Amino acid sequence: MEQAPAADTGGSSCGASCASSCGASAAMLSEDVFAIPNMDCRSEEAAIRERLSKLAHVQALSFDLPGRRLTVTHSLASPQPLVEALHEIGMQASLGVAAAGTGSGSCGATCGSACGGWPATMSKDVFTIPDMDCRSEEAAIRSRLGQLQGVEALEFDLAAHRLSVAHVLPSVQPILAALEAIGMRALLGEEAAAPKASDHEAQAASCGPCGKPAAISGPAATGDTLQLLITNMDCPTEEALIRKRLGKVSGVDRLDFDLMSRRLAVQHRLANTAPVLSALREIGMDATVEREAGPSPKGQATYLIEKMDCPTEEALLRKALQGMPGVSALQFDLMSRTLTVSHELPDEAAITAAIERLGMSPVLRDRSQPAPPVTREFGTGINKAQWVRMGAAGILAIGAEAMAFAGLGESSWPVVGASLAAIALGGIETLKKGWIALRTLSLNMNLLMTIAVIGAALIGQWPEAAVVIWLFGIAEMIEALSLDRARNAIRALMDLAPETALVRQADGRWEEVRAESVPMGALVRVRPGERIALDGVVVSGGSSVNQAPITGESMPVEKNPGDTVFAGTINERGTLEFEVRSRKGETTLDRIARSVQEAQGQRAPSQRFVDRFASVYTPAVFALAVAVAVIPPLLFGGAWFDWGYKALVMLVIACPCALVISTPVTVVSGLAAAARRGILVKGGLYLEQGRLLRAVALDKTGTLTHGRPSLTDTVALGALSQDEALRVAASLDALSEHPVATAIVSAYGSRPHAEVQRFEALAGRGVKGDIEGVTYYIGNQRLADELGVADDRVREALERLEAQAKTAVVLATARQALAVLAVADTVRESSKQAVAELKQLGVEPVMLTGDNRKTAEAVAARVGITDVRGEMLPHDKLAAIEQLASRAPVGMVGDGVNDAPALAKANIGFAMGAAGTDTAIETADVALMQDDLRKLPEFIRLSRRVGGVLKANITFAIATKVIFMVLAFTGHASLWLAILADMGASLAVVFNGLRLLKGPSSARTQHAD
C-alpha cells in the first residue's frame, strides 16, 4: 500500500474514500511526489539518483519518465532538502498539487486533489503532424517538447500522424513554435476540454495512481511486429506507395521504413499477418518475412526492450508491472534485453501499454525467432539476367529508331515489333508499377512514365516509346547501384568485426568459435594483424591497436592490462588476451551501426521540403500537361498530334525522381562519412542543423582538459635535483590516496620507489615518512609554515604556480624546503586547435564550468576562449544555454550525464569521448567517440558540406525541370531527350551526394561551402 505524500500529513486526515485510494501514512516514512518537467531521459535519472543518494534519509526513488514524475520515500522532516538538491542539478522540481498546497492535508472533494494528480487547469490538445511518421521523429519531438515547462505528458499515434499533449500552458502557441523549430508543421486538431472542478465523476474516472496523472487515452499497441525484407523497395516512391496501401489495412498501428536495407517493420494488432502480405503483393512489392513476432504462448509474453540495459530500468519495470492484476511473475535478462512476463490475462495489450508508458518501446516477440541485433543482409543488387535483358532491349529500341530513320515508317510492322519487344524486355516492370499506381491513385514517376509511353504509342511514336522506357529502366538500375554504395557504407561498419574469436576453453585449450556464442567473461586471444571480435578489457599482453573504425583516431593506441578494447579494431603487433565485456550484438560497434541505421530513417528538414514540394509539383505538372494537350486544339485550333506530343514530353519531365532521391542518398552518405570519422550523428535533423550553429558551450573538466590532475612543475630548491625530489615525493605519496598524491606518483611512472618507514598522514596538511634515515614532509603551505621552511623562495614559487590555477605542494625536511611541486588538470593538446578552428568557422566558443573563476580563466586563456563563465551549478549552465539559444542556434559539449539539462536544452547536444559509453551514445544528439575536441569543428564542416550538397542537388533538379519544361512547351525537346535529361539529373544528384563518402584528404581540411 502506498504512503500519502508527506505534505498531506500535516493537517486533517483524508476521508475514507481517499484513504483507500491513496493509502495510509507509514509511521516513520513519508512519500512525496515531484513534478519535474525537464526530466525525460535516463541521463537525467542517473544525475538525480547520484545527487539524492547523498541525502542520508532518502530510502527509495521511483521514476516515471514519461509522466516526468519522481516519487521519493524518505524520513526527512520536510521535503524542502529534496527540492533544493534537485534544483542544484538543474531539475525544475515542484511538489504535487496537494503537497504544494496549503498544508492542511485535506484531501478535497476528488481523487485528483487528494492524490496530487491532474491539476484543475490541465488541458489536453491534439495536434495533427503530417511529417511525423517514424520513431526517430517521435524522439525528436519528445526531446524538444520536454524542454517546455508546463508540458506534462505526450501520447503519440504515428499511424494517424497525431500527437496528444497534456499541459498547463495558457495557450498552445509555445507547443506549435517548438514543433516548428524542428521542422514539424503541426495543425491543432480537436481540443480536449480541461477537466472542470465541478466534474467530480469525470475527474475521478481519469485519476491515476497517487501522485501520477492518468494516461492519455488511446489505443494500446500490442507490440506485435512483423519485419519484412522488400527487395524491390528502393526509394521514397515505393515507400509512399506502401504507406498509402498499408494505411488502409485496419489493425496496422505503425510503419518503420529502412530504405537503405530494404526493410519494413510493421507494428499491428492483427490476428495474423496475411492482410499485410496480401496488400503488399497487390502493389507489386516482393516481400518476404524475416521475423514474425506474433502473440506469445498463452500465459507468457516475451518482450525485446532495447532500452532496458541496467538495474535502473529493471526496477522501473518491476514497479510498473508487479502490482498489475493478472501478472504473476517477471523474468529479466538484461544481457539480451528481454523480459518474460507470466500472466493470466486474455491478451498482452495491457502489459505492453504499461511498458510503453515508461518510454521503453517494447517489441513482443516469439522466442523461437529472435531478432538479429544488427541487420547485415541488404538484399541483392542487379543480377546478370537483368543486364542481359536491358542490353537486348536497348539493341531493339535503338534498332527500331534506326529503321524509322531509314524510312520504314514509325508505324510499320518491323518498327512496331522491335519497339514492342524492347518495351516487353526493358519496361515491363515500369508498366506494372504504373498500373499499380493507377489502381491505388498514387501519382508517382512510374505512372507518369507509363502514361507517356502509352501516349507515344497511341500517336504512332513507337521508337520513341521504346527508347524512353529503356532509358528509364537503365536510369533506375544505375540509380539502384548508386544506392547500393550508400548501403554498403553502412554494411561496412558491421562487417568490421570478425565472425569468429579465439576463446580459451575450460581445459585450457584455445579454440576458434563463432563470436555470437562467446559468453560474458570469456577469455579471448587476439594475434598480431587480427581484428578484435568483441569489446573487452585487456588482462595480459601489450600491443598497439588501430581504433580508427570506432574513434576515428589516425594513430594506433597502446593497449596494456586494464585498458578497454573495442570490436572491429585492429591489433597491430603484440598478442593480447582480453576478458569479454559485451556480447555480440551489444558491442560499441554494433551500437554505432544500429544508431546509423536508425538515424537514416529520420527524415531531414530538406527531405520534408522535397516531399512536400513533390506532392504539389507532380500533380500540378500533370494537370498542366493535360491542359497543354487539350486546350490549344480545342480553343485555338492547334494540331492534336503536336500538342499531345508536347504534353507527353512534359509528363516525362515531371518525374520528380532526381528531386526525391537526392536528399536520402546525401544524408545517408553524410551519416556514414561521419561514423567513419568517429562522429556518431543520431539523425539527418542534426546533420543539417550543425551548419547553423553560431555558438558552442564547452564544459571544462573532461572536455577542454583531461579531467584528471597531473604533475606540471617540479621546482628544485637546491638540496635535491628535480629527479631525486620527484623520487622522494612519489615514494611518500604512493602510500596516500589524495588526488594530488596520485598525480605525483603517476608522473614518476614505474621506476622503483624508495622504502618508506614510519609513514603518517597529517590531517589537512599532508604526509610524512622516513626515507634512508631522513624524515621528509610533503604537503600544503600550512604545513610549510608550521615547519618554518616557508621562506621567500618557497612563497614566490607557491604564489606563481597558484596564479596559474595549479595546486602546489612543498617537499621539505624539518629544517629546509627541498622542492615545490605543482599539479593541475592539464589542457588537452587538441583543445587549443579545436577552439581556433571553431573561431575560423564563425562559431563562438563559450566555457561553462563549475570550477572557480580563477582556474577557469587560466584554462580559457591557454586555449583561446574569451567568454568564460565559472562557478556555475547545473541550473546556471541551463540558463546560460537558454540565453545563448535566444540569439542563435547553440551546441553544448559535455560528458552526457552530469551536464544532462544543458545538453538537452541546446539545439545539438554533443557527448565527448562516448566510445564504450552506452548512456552517451543513446542520449546525445551527436557522440564524439574519441576524446578529441577537434571532432567538433570537423562535424560542423561536414554538416556544411552536406548542406551545400543538398542545396546544390535540389537547385539543380528543379532548374533542370524548369529548363526542359520551357523547351517542351516551345517544341524544342523530344521524349528521349527529356528522359535523358531526367536520367542525367538523377545520376548527377546521386553521385554528388555519394562524394561525401570520400570526404576530404585530411580530417581537418577546410571545406568551402
Side-chain angles (χ1 to χ4, degrees), residues 207-227:
C207 183
C210 285
K212 299 180 182 179
I216 298 175
S217 61
T222 64
D224 292 0
T225 301
L226 175 70
Q227 183 169 301

Side-chain angles (χ1 to χ4, degrees), residues 71 110 136 270 276 390 516 666 676 842 868 894 906 915 948-949 995 999:
T71 304
T110 66
S136 54
L270 301 168
V276 174
M390 291 305 291
E516 59 260 27
T666 302
R676 286 179 178 179
V868 187
V949 170
R995 284 192 306 112

Side-chain angles (χ1 to χ4, degrees), residues 680 696 860:
L680 182 57
V696 174

Side-chain angles (χ1 to χ4, degrees), residues 726-944:
L726 181 57
R727 184 180 82 93
V728 171
S731 300
L732 284 171
D733 280 335
L735 302 173
S736 171
E737 296 180 354
H738 194 279
V740 173
T742 303
I744 292 172
V745 173
S746 297
Y748 186 65
S750 58
R751 290 173 287 177
H753 292 175
E755 184 180 350
V756 179
Q757 296 177 335
R758 300 195 335 182
F759 175 83
E760 183 181 347
L762 307 173
R765 292 166 294 166
V767 298
K768 75 171 185 176
D770 293 351
I771 297 176
E772 298 169 357
V774 178
T775 301
Y776 291 96
Y777 298 81
I778 184 168
N780 54 25
Q781 185 173 348
R782 178 183 169 190
L783 177 61
D785 289 337
E786 289 178 0
L787 293 172
V789 298
D791 57 21
D792 291 341
R793 286 192 308 158
V794 171
R795 293 184 188 280
E796 185 275 327
L798 289 172
E799 289 173 3
R800 176 172 53 83
L801 294 169
E802 287 173 354
Q804 298 171 16
K806 298 175 181 178
T807 300
V809 293
V810 180
L811 174 67
T813 64
R815 296 182 178 181
Q816 63 175 332
L818 303 173
V820 176
L821 299 92
V823 166
D825 181 7
T826 54
V827 174
R828 295 183 188 275
E829 296 77 6
S830 58
S831 295
K832 186 173 182 179
Q833 184 180 345
V835 168
E837 290 181 20
L838 286 172
K839 289 181 175 179
Q840 289 174 5
L841 292 168
V843 180
E844 178 191 3
V846 180
M847 181 194 288
L848 305 180
T849 179
D851 214 336
N852 66 75
R853 187 164 188 82
K854 188 175 180 180
T855 302
E857 287 175 347
V859 172
R862 226 169 293 163
V863 299
I865 294 178
T866 54
D867 190 347
V868 187
R869 309 183 189 190
E871 301 174 0
M872 303 192 82
L873 295 173
H875 65 270
D876 298 320
K877 291 185 180 182
L878 185 62
I881 291 292
E882 290 174 342
Q883 182 256 325
L884 291 168
S886 66
R887 301 200 304 248
V890 63
M892 170 70 192
V893 186
D895 62 7
V897 177
N898 296 334
D899 297 309
L903 284 167
K905 189 66 178 176
N907 296 88
I908 303 180
F910 297 87
M912 183 81 168
T917 307
D918 290 348
T919 304
I921 290 178
E922 289 172 5
T923 60
D925 301 324
V926 178
L928 308 179
M929 305 303 291
Q930 185 185 351
D931 282 324
D932 188 345
L933 198 57
R934 289 173 295 188
K935 295 292 180 185
L936 179 57
E938 189 174 344
F939 164 75
I940 295 173
R941 282 194 294 268
L942 177 62
S943 175
R944 292 183 180 183

